[in-house]
Amino acid sequence: MTLQTEPHLLVTQPYLPFSIWYRTRSHCKRDEPAFMNSCAVAISNSTFSFISGFAVFATLGHLALLEGHDSVSKLEYSSFELVFGSWPVALGTVTGGEHFVRLFFVMLFFLGIDSAFSFMEAFLTVLHDSKLNLDRKWASIGLAVSAFLFSLLYASDAGLIFLDTIDYYINFVMLFVGFLKCFTVGWMYKIEEQIKSLGAQIVLTYIATTYLSIIFACCLWFGLGGVSSGFVGLALSYGVGMGFVRHLLARKKQANPAQTLKGMYYDLMLKNVMDLRSDLSEVVGYIPSIWCLLIKHFIPPVLLILFFLGANATITDDAGNTVKEFGHYGNYATKPYQVLGISAVVFAGFFFASSLVFPRLYDALHKKEESIVEIEIIKNEHKSTETQAKDYRDVQDKAEGHLA
């Protein structure tokens, strides 16, 4: 397993439960410290993964020793076999091992039940909080029955192959979704104000310069050229683009001498995310400034590069030929395995494209609008009872004035 063959493992594990985190967050108080909670979740997840790595590779080392191999790479365990294959075999070698194997699969069963609850809650929270306002009981029944019918695919003789294939292709969806989330937060927030202040040509040219230069570099890295040519292409394309942006900013300054180049660069590169940080901090507390740089200038390009890296990964097929792993994953048959996996990626792309073409198509899934009174009461949950009562009367007066 290398970065070239499994790049998605670097980032998609944190993104896998993103909807579950949203569901859990929706039940927290409005002013919960987001930064501290994020650190706790990220550190816990990474620590668990780190410890699990020791456990898995220690088990593989034991099996390699038993089979007379000098390296775990000679073992024929990969993907789900790292758990479902290696652990039962290793536990079976100890005294009373069959009982540990039984307990191991009981643990996996309960973990599956726990995961099912979490994934269902993620869907139910969205449906319940949306404008659809579906009854939670009937929504739960409908979702459980639908999930059961879809899961029958994985209960067949080829279930593990289907699961392995879908798991591989869904990583591209996670990278894509992660990129869109960070791009939306880092680049789209208050873009209207940016355009009003600097002009659409400057703002759009800066966005195009940033991402087209990365795409051009990826084409050189993973296609036409090599690593060195990719970095040269990135530097040249980004330099040319930013030179043009500099030219546009100079023209803007000539038209409005009151503006400074330093101020315009700040407005273009950081102001919107710094404003977002300030707006969020009023509710969820401290957020470090480095978050602004990461969410706008670091994480989106990294996710985009990893997407291209995964799409460019190669494997050796059964005939000994080197082929792209995308479309030939695991050397499984094209139909139905590869087609089903690629369909998952296309399905996600369809949702994105359809929302661009028909922006109001998913309006029903928007969160229900809360009244002014409800919002203010939520914001003041932590205050004393006497203060809340006074604020409630004040907010009622404000709401009545607003309605009038």
Side-chain angles (χ1 to χ4, degrees):
M1 179 167 32
T2 64
L3 179 62
Q4 178 68 16
T5 58
E6 304 286 348
H8 50 273
L9 295 180
L10 289 176
V11 292
T12 52
Q13 187 174 359
Y15 277 110
L16 183 58
F18 62 88
S19 57
I20 299 174
W21 290 351
Y22 289 167
R23 184 267 303 177
T24 305
R25 179 65 182 89
S26 69
H27 295 293
C28 293
K29 293 182 179 179
R30 181 180 173 86
D31 58 350
E32 279 286 312
F35 175 66
M36 295 302 296
N37 289 348
S38 300
C39 289
V41 170
I43 293 172
S44 301
N45 179 78
S46 299
T47 302
F48 183 80
S49 300
F50 188 70
I51 296 174
S52 298
F54 279 105
V56 170
F57 283 98
T59 303
L60 293 177
H62 175 65
L63 293 178
L65 179 64
L66 293 178
E67 296 182 16
H69 299 308
D70 58 359
S71 173
V72 296
S73 62
K74 295 181 180 180
L75 294 174
E76 296 183 357
Y77 292 108
S78 62
S79 188
F80 293 101
E81 293 177 353
L82 290 173
V83 174
F84 295 104
S86 63
W87 276 92
V89 174
L91 291 173
T93 62
V94 302
T95 304
E98 64 273 14
H99 303 299
F100 288 105
V101 172
R102 294 188 183 102
L103 289 175
F104 176 72
F105 280 102
V106 168
M107 177 196 69
L108 291 179
F109 173 77
F110 282 113
L111 284 176
I113 295 294
D114 177 70
S115 297
F117 273 113
S118 297
F119 277 109
M120 281 193 62
E121 274 296 309
F123 280 99
L124 289 174
T125 299
V126 171
L127 294 176
H128 181 72
D129 291 348
S130 69
K131 295 178 181 178
L132 295 174
N133 197 24
L134 299 179
D135 181 77
R136 198 173 186 87
K137 174 184 175 181
W138 290 108
S140 301
I141 293 174
L143 184 59
V145 171
S146 301
F148 169 76
L149 295 176
F150 277 108
S151 68
L152 292 176
L153 178 70
Y154 302 118
S156 64
D157 291 340
L160 279 180
I161 299 179
F162 279 115
L163 183 59
D164 189 23
T165 306
I166 293 294
D167 180 70
Y168 168 76
Y169 284 103
I170 208 70
N171 287 309
F172 290 95
V173 177
M174 294 299 175
L175 286 169
F176 182 62
V177 170
F179 168 76
L180 291 179
K181 284 173 177 285
C182 295
F183 181 82
T184 302
V185 171
W187 294 83
M188 294 293 104
Y189 185 72
K190 289 190 175 181
I191 192 172
E192 297 90 351
E193 293 185 12
Q194 277 189 314
I195 291 176
K196 184 178 179 180
S197 173
L198 301 173
Q201 186 180 22
I202 294 176
V203 174
L204 297 180
T205 300
Y206 179 54
I207 295 175
T209 295
T210 301
Y211 289 100
L212 290 182
S213 61
I214 293 172
I215 294 173
F216 177 63
C218 287
C219 293
L220 295 178
W221 278 327
F222 310 130
L224 304 176
V227 176
S228 58
S229 61
F231 281 109
V232 172
L234 176 62
L236 288 177
S237 57
Y238 188 77
V240 171
M242 288 306 296
F244 186 59
V245 170
R246 172 68 171 75
H247 169 69
L248 294 176
L249 289 174
R251 287 175 52 188
K252 180 74 175 177
K253 185 178 183 304
Q254 289 180 352
N256 187 0
Q259 291 182 305
T260 64
L261 282 176
K262 182 179 179 180
M264 288 190 288
Y265 272 118
Y266 176 77
D267 289 349
L268 186 63
M269 294 182 171
L270 282 175
K271 186 177 184 301
N272 67 320
V273 282
M274 292 299 287
D275 288 345
L276 176 60
R277 171 181 173 269
S278 177
D279 294 341
L280 292 175
S281 296
E282 293 179 1
V283 179
V284 298
Y286 171 73
I287 298 176
S289 299
I290 190 65
W291 175 83
C292 301
L293 290 173
L294 294 176
I295 203 69
K296 183 168 185 175
H297 296 292
F298 182 76
I299 298 176
V302 169
L303 295 179
L304 193 60
I305 291 171
L306 288 173
F307 186 93
F308 280 100
L309 180 61
N312 186 66
T314 59
I315 59 172
T316 302
D317 63 13
D318 295 332
N321 301 316
T322 300
V323 295
K324 297 291 185 184
E325 189 171 22
F326 192 95
H328 302 87
Y329 175 70
N331 287 325
Y332 299 138
T334 302
K335 295 180 181 180
Y337 307 116
Q338 309 295 341
V339 171
L340 185 62
I342 295 174
S343 297
V345 181
V346 174
F347 190 57
F350 166 76
F351 276 113
F352 171 68
S354 60
S355 65
L356 291 180
V357 179
F358 306 104
R360 298 187 179 277
L361 187 62
Y362 305 107
D363 277 359
L365 295 177
H366 288 178
K367 198 176 188 305
K368 291 178 292 187
E369 293 184 3
E370 297 173 307
S371 68
I372 298 175
V373 176
E374 291 172 329
I375 293 174
E376 293 296 332
I377 290 176
I378 292 174
K379 288 171 64 176
N380 295 326
E381 273 185 337
H382 63 284
K383 294 184 178 180
S384 65
T385 305
E386 295 79 5
T387 305
Q388 285 189 38
K390 179 180 181 300
D391 288 351
Y392 183 78
R393 290 191 296 271
D394 293 341
V395 170
Q396 278 187 318
D397 294 339
K398 185 196 302 183
E400 291 172 359
H402 176 75
L403 294 175

